[in-house]
Amino acid sequence: MGTLFYLFIPALFVWRDVYFFGMTNLSLYIHIPFCLQKCRYCDFYSVPGGDPLVISRYIDAIGREWGIYEDSGVLGNAAINTVYVGGGTPSALDLDMWGRLEEALFSRINKSTIREWSVECNPESFTIEKGRMYAKSGATRLTFGVQSLNARELSVCGRAHSAEKAIEALGDERLDGLFDSIGADIIYALPGQTADTLDNTLSAILSIPRVKHLSAYELTVADGTPFGRHKKMLPLPSEESAAEMYELIGNRCTERGMGQYEVSNYALAGFESIHNRAYWSHKPYIGLGASAHSYIHPKRWSNAAGIERYISAVSTGTLINNAVDFEETLTPLELSREIIFLGLRGIDGIDEDDFAARTGISFCPEGRKEILRGYVGSGLLKNSDKKWTPTPRGMLFADMMARELML
Ligand code: SF4
């Protein structure tokens, strides 16, 4: 945690150390923190319900935050490469509110360089009219928070939608002309889940031809959530069962022709998320909204995680306390550790020359070379020329390998 508390761009003393001007591609994230209700496992910054007046002021604040960036000139020659509207539940915004977001933000950004634009949707609040509006704004990709198609699992998780509603949303043929890609997110190792119930969920999702991307995250029971508070009473699958589920997901995706490109992500060729790959490769991104994170090397920071705090911080546009909850400056050593940690989780792997150019540190000193060769021998890594990439099995052991390889 840094000691500087500042409000975004006007704090130019912060930005003189940020190497923004050589940057060409930028990812833009917009956080919509409103949800219909709070899921029992949820550890994200999101609030149930949402007074229309508050939502409207929040959207105006997002527009103002972008204006602060524009006015400061710090975006330099950066071109927006990807946009990701996440949450929370972006589809919880009604048509009027999305229209306001269009006016406050989307109509002001240069869309000509955008290669991918994703919107997270939840089945209970998505409608085809909203889909049409997203597409009109420029969205190319929807990703639906399905989590499970088992009624009991959905209920235990406190999800606001039924399995039928999720299938109806994914199965809507009218999506075909609107978006390049439709994806589904699921969670596995849920309380009471078995390989059979997971398999039913997978079969139903993967049998829908328009689904081209699947994210499958193992449940994390976070402290401070209802799941966290009742952890001891939850019938969680054993570690072995969770590992079997992971394998099952990989097998079902392979049968469907989807490749695994990150430990939790699978896609048909050409439908991998460009935005997520940019995060994992330490490319620069700006996050707008309460609790949104940004990273422009070497700085990383997160906006205030509180709707009112965020709105008032942005509206003053001056230095104030607590507008940023977290900020840090990555040292070359920290950057090298993160590149190792993230690189071993996905097919982009680690390139020795790129690693050295970005960190000034060698990826392959003698001691580490031995360890890396050992992983190649045991089928966890592949090595070609100066590139080291995890195998699908290696992705499962990414954290273990990263720990052993840490400088
Ligand atoms: S819909 Fe998503 S962000 Fe909202 S409470 Fe549920 S898990 Fe959290």
Side-chain angles (χ1 to χ4, degrees):
M1 174 76 74
T3 51
L4 293 174
F5 289 96
Y6 54 87
L7 175 64
F8 316 117
I9 306 303
L12 288 175
F13 66 89
V14 171
W15 289 89
R16 69 186 171 208
D17 296 331
V18 173
Y19 309 114
F20 224 135
F21 290 96
M23 187 173 73
T24 49
N25 285 335
L26 174 73
S27 290
L28 182 62
Y29 174 80
I30 299 115
H31 190 69
I32 306 296
F34 308 101
C35 294
L36 207 66
Q37 62 193 46
K38 191 81 183 169
C39 304
R40 295 195 183 100
Y41 56 84
C42 181
D43 194 27
F44 301 119
Y45 178 65
S46 65
V47 292
D51 175 338
L53 264 181
V54 174
I55 297 177
S56 158
R57 287 169 54 236
Y58 180 81
I59 288 172
D60 290 347
I62 284 179
R64 268 198 296 277
E65 189 186 358
W66 181 249
I68 293 170
Y69 279 106
E70 281 182 324
D71 294 347
S72 72
V74 296
L75 294 176
N77 59 2
I80 299 174
N81 195 37
T82 63
V83 174
Y84 196 103
V85 189
T89 308
S91 59
L93 297 182
D94 64 21
L95 293 171
D96 281 354
M97 289 303 161
W98 186 272
R100 281 188 78 113
L101 192 55
E102 172 68 41
E103 209 178 304
L105 178 67
F106 301 145
S107 61
R108 292 163 54 194
I109 61 177
N110 177 1
K111 296 177 180 170
S112 64
T113 53
I114 297 172
R115 293 172 60 205
E116 178 190 275
W117 178 326
S118 309
V119 183
E120 280 183 351
C121 300
N122 273 359
E124 74 279 359
S125 51
F126 178 76
T127 63
I128 197 66
E129 289 74 28
K130 290 181 183 177
R132 289 194 182 108
M133 229 172 156
Y134 305 156
K136 205 167 155 208
S137 292
T140 58
R141 181 175 181 270
L142 297 189
T143 174
F144 284 92
V146 173
Q147 317 316 356
S148 166
L149 291 176
N150 177 281
R152 201 194 56 79
E153 290 164 11
L154 287 172
S155 159
V156 167
C157 289
R159 296 290 296 175
H161 61 87
S162 62
E164 292 72 27
K165 190 74 192 159
I167 289 290
E168 185 189 314
L170 290 172
D172 192 331
E173 290 175 359
R174 293 171 294 179
L175 295 171
D176 291 342
L178 297 174
F179 302 99
D180 299 338
S181 173
I182 301 295
D185 293 358
I186 63 166
I187 303 178
Y188 70 97
L190 291 168
Q193 191 173 40
T194 65
D196 281 347
T197 61
L198 173 64
D199 207 9
N200 291 339
T201 292
L202 288 167
S203 310
I205 292 174
L206 297 177
S207 67
I208 300 172
R210 76 181 51 77
V211 175
K212 298 189 167 73
H213 188 281
L214 184 82
S215 296
Y217 298 99
E218 183 172 352
L219 176 71
T220 304
V221 179
D223 292 342
T225 63
F227 270 15
R229 285 193 288 279
H230 301 103
K231 189 174 179 179
K232 286 194 179 133
M233 291 157 61
L234 293 178
L236 294 169
S238 63
E239 267 182 37
E240 294 72 38
S241 304
E244 277 168 29
M245 291 181 192
Y246 173 81
E247 207 178 330
L248 177 67
I249 293 163
N251 291 341
R252 292 292 178 252
C253 286
T254 304
E255 287 161 19
R256 173 68 198 288
M258 287 176 163
Q260 183 174 18
Y261 71 102
E262 197 263 351
V263 68
S264 306
N265 285 278
Y266 308 79
L268 293 180
F271 292 94
E272 299 86 359
S273 162
I274 304 171
H275 186 87
N276 287 344
R277 282 174 89 169
Y279 282 156
W280 302 327
S281 314
H282 279 81
K283 302 273 166 55
Y285 55 86
I286 291 286
L288 304 178
S291 84
H293 285 58
S294 301
Y295 171 67
I296 308 295
H297 187 71
K299 299 275 183 190
R300 176 158 47 210
W301 66 99
S302 72
N303 291 351
I307 289 171
E308 288 304 331
R309 213 147 56 85
Y310 167 74
I311 292 174
S312 77
V314 174
S315 65
T316 58
T318 54
L319 284 168
I320 60 160
N321 284 342
N322 300 326
V324 169
D325 277 356
F326 164 84
E327 70 102 11
E328 65 181 351
T329 303
L330 287 185
T331 64
L333 186 60
E334 286 165 337
L335 177 63
S336 71
R337 288 176 171 162
E338 290 194 6
I339 292 175
I340 291 173
F341 178 74
L342 292 172
L344 295 178
R345 295 173 66 89
I347 53 162
D348 290 327
I350 297 167
D351 180 90
E352 288 179 35
D353 289 342
D354 178 64
F355 186 93
R358 295 173 81 176
T359 65
I361 296 169
S362 165
F363 178 63
C364 257
E366 261 327 300
R368 185 182 281 158
K369 208 168 235 166
E370 283 313 301
I371 302 174
L372 289 165
R373 285 191 186 125
Y375 287 143
V376 172
S378 52
L380 298 180
L381 281 185
K382 287 182 289 186
N383 175 222
S384 124
D385 195 14
K386 291 186 172 181
K387 183 126 185 191
W388 302 82
T389 319
T391 61
R393 192 165 150 264
M395 289 183 204
L396 186 59
F397 294 98
D399 291 357
M400 184 268 295
M401 287 194 284
R403 274 196 300 276
E404 207 174 339
L405 291 167
M406 283 301 170
L407 296 160

